[in-house]
Amino acid sequence: MTDTAKQPTTQYDVIVVGGGMVGAALAALLGQAGVAVALLDARPAPLPADEVGIGLPAMRVSALTPVSQRLLEGLGAWSWMAARRVTPYRFMQVWDGEGSGEVRFSAEQAGVPLLGHIVENDVVLAALERRLDELPSVSVQLGTRVTGLHEGGEVVLEDGRRLAAPLVVAADGAGSPLREMAGIPVHTRDTGHVAVVTTVHNAREHGGVARQVFLASGPLAFLPLTVAGDARYCSIVWSTSPAEAARLTALSPAALGRELEAAFESRLGAVEVVDRALAVPLTQRHAERYVLPGFALVGDAAHSIHPLAGQGVNLGLMDVAVLAEELLAARRRGIALGEPRMLQRYARRRRGDNAAMLALMDGFRLLFGTRHPALTLLRNLGLSGVDRLTPVKRLLMQQAIGRRGTLPLACR
Ligand SMILES: Cc1cc2nc3c(=O)[nH]c(=O)nc-3n(C[C@H](O)[C@H](O)[C@H](O)COP(=O)(O)OP(=O)(O)OC[C@H]3O[C@@H](n4cnc5c(N)ncnc54)[C@H](O)[C@@H]3O)c2cc1C
């Protein structure tokens, strides 16, 4: 992904700091329209595309909504991803491990062919990197750490170089150094959870169902993965207390497999852990503002969310679609790309959706992270109630498939 044929310049329309899935998607959307973009990332090298999505699945995966799929199709990234490895799911099953409530959704009930796909993050990123290589107006600069931000859209690199553009976009992840350099405060909520992630091979096939059980300690998800036609793989996200996560990650694979099978009520039979188990701390963050003149936050730099609803990167991709739509409209009208009112419009269009999703995750966590008898009764009534109440269930399904509000053009 690092440019060799393309001539690097220090004069850009937009500098995107952070070439994760969100920053790479923004650079590709703008690059497709001929905007001169510098995409800077501290990681040293592109992903080895010929090794990605082959063999054992990578540990970090995302549930991508059909809306995110459409955005990636528009970017010309999806066909490579689909040829490499994506696993569609048509059903969702969520139940209360402490009670009797259970909700099931199907794509048919939601009136869509699929609820989404489970995709390794590396597959998404490698596809975007391939696409970026084809875009002459995008200069991808890896091994490039940004260490300073000055007013007037100037960024300072670790090696002392300076780059400038009318707009600097921070897509530099949940810890966002750029957000801090810009002095934007962030509301932080410790979820009390650490996610244990790994990959398993089950005795029974997943059947294209994304499953999640709410345990007293937190939610445990078995996300379906099909590997070379074998539909018995799942990616695990087990959100639990830090002490429990430390205990689980120290277990032998055989012992962890037994714990997973018991916690998951043997719904997919015996569980074999086929990768190491990694602990990822989970903190919910929401930046107090998304924009300043000539500066914008997107993706996890603006909001990081508990993974229990699998929404983080989907929200980030919607930020990107909306910001690109505003920027391209401004460019057509001859408005400067760092213009505050245009950036405010982006912030207004995205903040409400993101805040609503963060609040929903808080509610879920509080409701399910308790042993209080009244709340236990409420959540059992709630879950089975949700399964009967078609309009409420439909709303939840719409949320799951990412159909909220007005879609930006890139996702229609
Ligand atoms: C356990 C778990 C499960 C999840 N499951 C889902 C799911 O099912 N569905 C979903 O939608 N989301 C999910 N998410 C959330 C999703 O992973 C994130 O929302 C997404 O990865 C954020 O992408 P990003 O591009 O914004 O940030 P990142 O992927 O963090 O990328 C940031 C980039 O910025 C670069 N960078 C940082 N600082 C600098 C600097 N100073 N200079 C240059 N470069 C810099 C970094 O090198 C990095 O490449 C999950 C998250 C977790 C933890």
Side-chain angles (χ1 to χ4, degrees), residues 1 25 67 103 112 130 152 182 195 206 213 223 290 356 371 379 400 412:
M1 172 160 132
V67 173
V103 183
V112 289
R130 284 168 55 86
H206 52 64
V213 55
L223 304 174
Y290 286 9
R371 286 183 191 276
R379 73 190 193 195
R412 277 180 214 158

Side-chain angles (χ1 to χ4, degrees), residues 184-237:
I184 296 180
V186 63
H187 299 289
T188 301
R189 179 171 306 211
D190 181 6
T191 64
H193 281 162
V194 168
V196 174
V197 294
T198 189
T199 308
V200 299
H201 188 256
N202 305 299
R204 287 202 284 278
E205 292 195 351
H206 52 64
V209 186
R211 297 175 172 86
Q212 183 154 239
V213 55
F214 282 90
L215 305 166
S217 54
L220 164 62
F222 273 52
L223 304 174
L225 288 172
T226 301
V227 178
D230 184 348
R232 286 174 296 169
Y233 285 89
C234 282
S235 180
I236 300 297
V237 183

